[in-house]
Amino acid sequence: MLSDVTPQDLDDRFRAALGALGNPARRRDLGEPLSDGGPLTGAQALAIFDAQVTSRLLDLAGRWLRGFGEGYYTIGSAGHEGNAAVAAALQPTDPALLHYRSGAFYCVRAAQAAGDFPAPDVPVATTPPTPDPGDGYAQAARDVLRGMVASAREPIAGGRHKVFGRADLAVIPTTSTIASHLPRAVGMGLALERLRRVGGGRRPGGAVPEAGGAVPETGGAVPETGGDAGAGSPWPPDAIVVCSFGDASVNHATATAAFNTAGWYDHTGLRIPVLFVCEDNGLGISVRSPKGWVEATLRARPGIRYFAADGTDPVEAYRVADQAATWVRRHRRPAVLHLSTVRLMGHAGADAETAYRSPAELDADAARDPLLATARLLVAAGYATGEELLARYDERGWQVRRIAEEVLDEPKLASPAEVLAELAPRRPVRISQAVAEAAARAAGPNAAARAEAFGGKPPELAGPLTLAQSINAALADGMLDHPGTVVFGEDVAAKGGVYGVTKGLRDRFGAARVFDTLLDETSILGLGLGAGVAGMLPVPEIQYLAYLHNAEDQLRGEAATMRFFSRGAFRNPMVVRVAGLAYQEGFGGHFHNDNSVAVLRDVPGLVIAVPARPDDAAPMLRACLAAAVVDGSVCVFLEPIALYHTRDLYADGDDGWLGEYAEPGAWAARHVPIGRARVYGVGSAEDVTIITFGNGVRMSLRAAATLADEGIGSRVVDLRWLAPLPVADIVREASATGRVLVVDETRRSGGVGEGVIAALVDGGYVGAAHRVAGLDSFVPLGPAARQVLVSEEAITQGARTLLAR
């Protein structure tokens, strides 16, 4: 009986078991298929064994490296190596998002890419060849070991995280595989099917570009600018998405969202070719999945075909995986493969399983070791002897050990610049160039299509527009320029949005590009994540800011990390439109007047735009779309609901809050760079600087007019961008008067004003400062909202207080 399963014990047991297998009764050629009519040849079964062995040895190496302080990751795949058969049943161009126990899958995918996984009709040697130190399995081992030791040469994250990923393997890194990647998989499936139907899939043999960009006609690099971005997919038209996860993850809200969305769309007749693979070892660290629960949960998902296989039996795992993949590929519909596995050596290096598992249970799992099952198959079928497999295991072990020693000496990330290099690159010159090129297209080759889309009356001839009308027109121009742009969310299509911001877009561009989604923000963002990485330019809408908070990890943990953890090899460009902030008259309460943006400002690399005026909204949206195309940026376009239809500034009927929509010839000149503020001078503009954004801009301009009547001159600074903050503009304008009033419609704690004050201090500002902010309260219903929100009176009084110091 086992008291625990240690690396040494697992190795000893496996070696002893191989030694005891002996010789087959009859030797067979490796090119022959299994005698029982199974779909595998001997060479393929041996290749699966090689992948499983490599994965197992990497687990042992991870513990060894950790033992002397040189390894930083010990979650392994021991017991889950049956997923090698799943990889073998798929095409190597099927994009994969992998669970952290899918190591053998990754090894097979690397071997397939290197040409080391045999096709069924290719002649092979009679006896197993010696492992090649430069084959695909060794390459996979080097990739994984580099991740374990945080080597800067690791091919996907470059030492930032240990993940499975490589662009040439179509393996997309997932930073947290507790189901948070499943909504992205659904979005990828939806995007792949759309691109397949419109002919946007990659040509056979074409180069795989940087994901999230266009496929150039000659293959290769992604275009830095241009209207064709998002027009094609990095993967072939018949590709399916595969997404693996653990059994405990079926209980996670994001898994529920993904399954529900896939089934919902299938129910409506929209096809999503996704194969979910649940690797079920019965445990979530120490918490057991109740017997039968996972199967019952997966079987009950409407619209998702259920397949099940024993992951410790390579023949059955391959056969069922092949059936599942073939079904998804043929029908373009979602399915789940429930792969039963065991877990060996615990959850991770520090996990003592004896605290929650009995010796008998550990012994039973060790007896179901999938490596041993594959070895027994190879010997029983006559493809190898136990001695040959043991020698193969040892030779691969020495390879892994040598590679581990080599990667120890590789450089680590050694400076902030190295760490942040791929977080969120900003190339403002290229973005401005992209805007100028879009303008040239709108005025030139696309002029006729533009005139038709706007019914012969382009927005620049429609007279002054409201904020909502300006955003609507800019969205239309963006969709005209970028054929891969899709606008979606709750009520955005037929209704045109709750506030009419997307009105008419579906009629102009069709239901394939402007469509309603189910009511689930996690799924809306997941669709955007998948569409972006598949080569489209998604513009999802979150109906209210308050609704974003239950799904914010899709932005924080998935969207914003993609470039960071793939060194830019993958990206998910997107512009998320969010209706938010307070001051709606006669409507709402907290959920429709949410003034909390702290959760967004905390996300590294995220661009946050808050357009206050119509004449800023369109150029800011163009800048976000261009940043998504050029840099793969993830942008949140936070639209103040209370200003959507506002027309007046100082007095009823003055139309002071309307704005002209620039003609394409003026787009370049009126471009609004990301991270640049706008300054208004009121009176002498010499006495006080008011720094604000959103609704605060209109209130501050009104307050400044009141102050001007008192002889006080103000300069009102509209931040426009909450991330990155326009720090240079903030410090310059504050220093111009020596008195700065920060008007923050969010909350005092965690609000934007804290960031502005910090920027002033860091920038060396030495003048006086005062802050007017919303209270640390949710926004109540009706007139009571005025008690917690910033008012014009509070702004004027704050300025007077500041000047009295």
Side-chain angles (χ1 to χ4, degrees):
M1 298 288 282
L2 292 173
S3 59
D4 209 346
V5 181
T6 66
Q8 186 63 52
D9 176 79
L10 194 62
D11 180 65
D12 289 344
R13 286 173 62 96
F14 183 62
R15 291 174 56 81
L18 288 180
L21 288 178
N23 298 325
R26 182 176 70 87
R27 195 63 184 246
R28 300 175 63 218
D29 191 296
L30 285 170
E32 295 181 39
L34 292 171
S35 57
D36 62 356
L40 289 171
T41 66
Q44 290 176 316
L46 183 65
I48 288 173
F49 178 75
D50 279 342
Q52 293 177 321
V53 163
T54 304
S55 178
R56 175 65 56 82
L57 291 166
L58 287 170
D59 291 351
L60 301 180
R63 305 297 180 101
W64 172 67
L65 289 165
R66 182 65 176 269
F68 56 90
E70 292 287 355
Y72 306 99
Y73 196 90
T74 56
I75 296 178
S77 304
H80 282 238
E81 292 92 351
N83 54 49
V86 178
L90 292 161
Q91 295 179 6
T93 49
D94 290 330
L97 299 93
L98 298 182
H99 183 245
Y100 48 50
R101 299 196 190 280
S102 297
F105 183 113
Y106 184 78
C107 292
V108 167
R109 182 61 64 90
Q112 289 172 325
D116 293 320
F117 194 91
D121 55 350
V122 175
V124 293
T126 302
T127 58
T130 303
D132 181 350
D135 63 11
Y137 308 104
Q139 294 174 28
R142 190 175 299 276
D143 292 348
V144 174
L145 287 166
R146 281 173 163 164
M148 288 179 180
V149 302
S151 167
R153 296 176 182 169
E154 192 271 333
I156 192 69
R160 293 170 181 84
H161 196 39
K162 191 276 179 187
V163 293
F164 293 122
R166 246 174 62 189
D168 63 320
L169 303 185
V171 177
I172 300 164
T174 58
T175 59
S176 174
T177 50
I178 307 174
S180 61
H181 58 307
L182 270 64
R184 179 196 295 277
V186 175
M188 288 176 64
L190 185 67
L192 286 181
E193 187 61 8
R194 177 192 179 277
L195 291 169
R196 185 181 74 89
R197 288 176 179 271
V198 300
R202 179 168 63 89
R203 301 184 315 278
V208 178
E210 180 183 271
V215 181
E217 200 55 32
T218 57
V222 180
E224 300 294 357
T225 60
D228 62 345
S233 165
W235 301 293
D238 68 340
I240 67 174
V241 181
V242 60
C243 178
S244 60
F245 56 98
D247 54 287
S249 292
V250 301
N251 306 299
H252 202 275
T254 47
T256 297
F259 297 143
N260 184 70
T261 301
W264 189 87
Y265 276 117
D266 187 79
H267 186 76
T268 67
L270 192 62
R271 300 310 185 206
I272 297 183
V274 177
L275 177 60
F276 299 104
V277 180
C278 179
E279 299 183 16
D280 183 1
N281 63 28
L283 290 161
I285 304 183
S286 66
V287 179
R288 299 175 188 273
S289 294
K291 187 175 179 59
W293 170 252
V294 176
E295 178 181 352
T297 299
L298 295 177
R299 279 187 178 277
R301 298 295 181 185
I304 301 178
R305 180 75 173 265
Y306 177 83
F307 295 86
D310 181 356
T312 67
D313 180 342
V315 175
E316 180 183 344
Y318 181 90
R319 177 180 57 79
V320 178
D322 182 61
Q323 291 175 356
T326 299
W327 188 88
V328 174
R329 202 178 309 279
R330 176 182 299 130
H331 298 285
R332 317 302 293 172
R333 296 178 63 187
V336 61
L337 171 59
H338 184 193
L339 195 69
S340 62
T341 68
V342 294
R343 191 184 71 186
L344 306 175
M345 295 195 299
H347 175 72
D351 182 28
E353 287 191 286
T354 50
Y356 54 89
R357 302 185 76 189
S358 69
E361 185 180 359
L362 295 173
D363 198 59
D365 273 5
R368 295 183 62 211
D369 186 341
L371 268 69
L372 185 55
T374 307
R376 287 171 176 155
L377 166 71
L378 288 166
V379 174
Y383 297 122
T385 69
E387 184 179 351
E388 288 171 343
L389 296 180
L390 178 57
R392 195 172 194 82
Y393 177 75
D394 285 339
E395 182 60 32
R396 191 67 72 179
W398 280 112
Q399 280 186 15
V400 170
R401 180 67 172 260
R402 285 194 297 271
I403 295 171
E405 291 173 346
E406 290 169 6
V407 301
L408 283 175
D409 295 328
E410 293 183 349
K412 308 291 194 292
L413 296 173
S415 71
E418 286 184 282
V419 173
L420 299 177
E422 284 296 345
L423 174 61
R426 301 272 184 257
R427 294 181 285 188
V429 173
R430 294 188 181 185
I431 291 172
S432 64
Q433 179 186 352
V435 171
E437 291 172 352
R441 287 188 292 271
N446 295 347
R450 186 171 186 266
E452 181 181 356
F454 285 110
K457 190 175 184 181
E460 59 266 26
L461 300 180
L465 304 180
T466 64
L467 181 70
Q469 290 169 332
S470 183
I471 294 171
N472 177 280
L475 283 171
D477 269 324
M479 297 187 74
L480 284 165
D481 192 56
H482 301 284
T485 303
V486 284
V487 173
F488 54 91
E490 300 165 28
D491 302 301
V492 304
K495 183 178 175 65
V498 173
Y499 297 94
V501 180
T502 56
K503 186 176 181 180
L505 293 181
R506 187 181 70 167
D507 293 339
R508 295 178 194 174
F509 299 102
R513 297 187 65 192
V514 182
F515 57 91
D516 291 323
T517 65
L518 72 176
L519 195 155
D520 177 52
E521 286 71 29
T522 294
S523 294
I524 292 170
L525 292 177
L527 293 176
L529 289 166
V533 83
M536 301 173 73
L537 183 56
V539 185
E541 178 187 290
I542 301 298
Q543 198 165 83
Y544 289 102
L545 177 59
Y547 301 166
L548 173 68
H549 302 308
N550 60 43
E552 65 89 14
D553 187 56
Q554 290 295 294
L555 287 178
R556 181 194 64 82
E558 291 291 320
T561 61
M562 180 52 74
R563 284 200 70 120
F564 187 68
F565 289 126
S566 72
R567 296 197 297 178
F570 293 99
R571 59 187 197 167
N572 37 220
M574 57 196 301
V575 179
V576 185
R577 294 182 46 252
V578 183
L581 303 176
Y583 299 98
Q584 292 191 78
E585 293 293 333
F587 182 67
H590 164 62
F591 282 104
H592 301 96
N593 285 280
D594 187 11
N595 63 341
S596 174
V597 299
V599 72
L600 294 173
R601 291 182 58 243
D602 180 59
V603 180
L606 196 69
V607 173
I608 307 174
V610 184
R613 294 187 62 112
D615 50 349
D616 276 339
M620 289 174 70
L621 183 54
R622 279 193 287 271
C624 287
L625 291 170
V629 172
V630 171
D631 292 329
S633 297
V634 178
C635 305
V636 173
F637 202 73
L638 181 58
E639 303 164 4
I641 297 172
L643 299 178
Y644 269 150
H645 306 298
T646 298
R647 303 180 64 88
D648 305 321
L649 175 55
Y650 298 116
D652 290 347
D654 69 7
D655 286 346
W657 207 252
L658 299 179
E660 299 289 341
Y661 191 90
E663 63 175 345
W667 289 0
R670 299 187 186 183
H671 171 57
V672 177
I674 292 173
R676 291 302 306 272
R678 179 174 180 175
V679 182
Y680 302 83
V682 182
S684 67
E686 295 178 352
D687 298 309
V688 64
T689 299
I690 302 174
I691 299 177
T692 188
F693 64 96
N695 294 289
V697 178
R698 183 171 181 272
M699 289 189 294
S700 294
L701 288 172
R702 290 167 63 93
T706 300
L707 293 169
D709 291 340
E710 302 173 10
I712 300 170
S714 308
R715 54 185 65 207
V716 176
V717 179
D718 178 4
L719 295 171
R720 298 196 292 198
W721 308 93
L722 303 187
L725 279 172
V727 174
D729 297 333
I730 290 170
V731 175
R732 183 190 66 249
E733 297 302 323
S735 300
T737 64
R739 300 181 185 90
V740 60
L741 177 68
V742 179
V743 176
D744 180 6
E745 65 174 290
T746 61
R747 302 168 190 169
R748 294 190 66 84
S749 298
V752 176
E754 291 182 341
V756 174
I757 296 295
L760 287 167
V761 173
D762 291 344
Y765 173 72
V766 294
H770 186 64
R771 183 162 58 118
V772 176
L775 300 185
D776 289 341
S777 170
F778 302 108
V779 179
L781 189 66
R786 303 184 191 126
Q787 306 304 314
V788 301
L789 296 173
V790 172
S791 66
E792 292 174 32
E793 294 75 14
I795 297 171
T796 54
Q797 186 56 46
R800 296 185 188 113
T801 299
L802 185 62
L803 289 163
R805 289 181 179 175

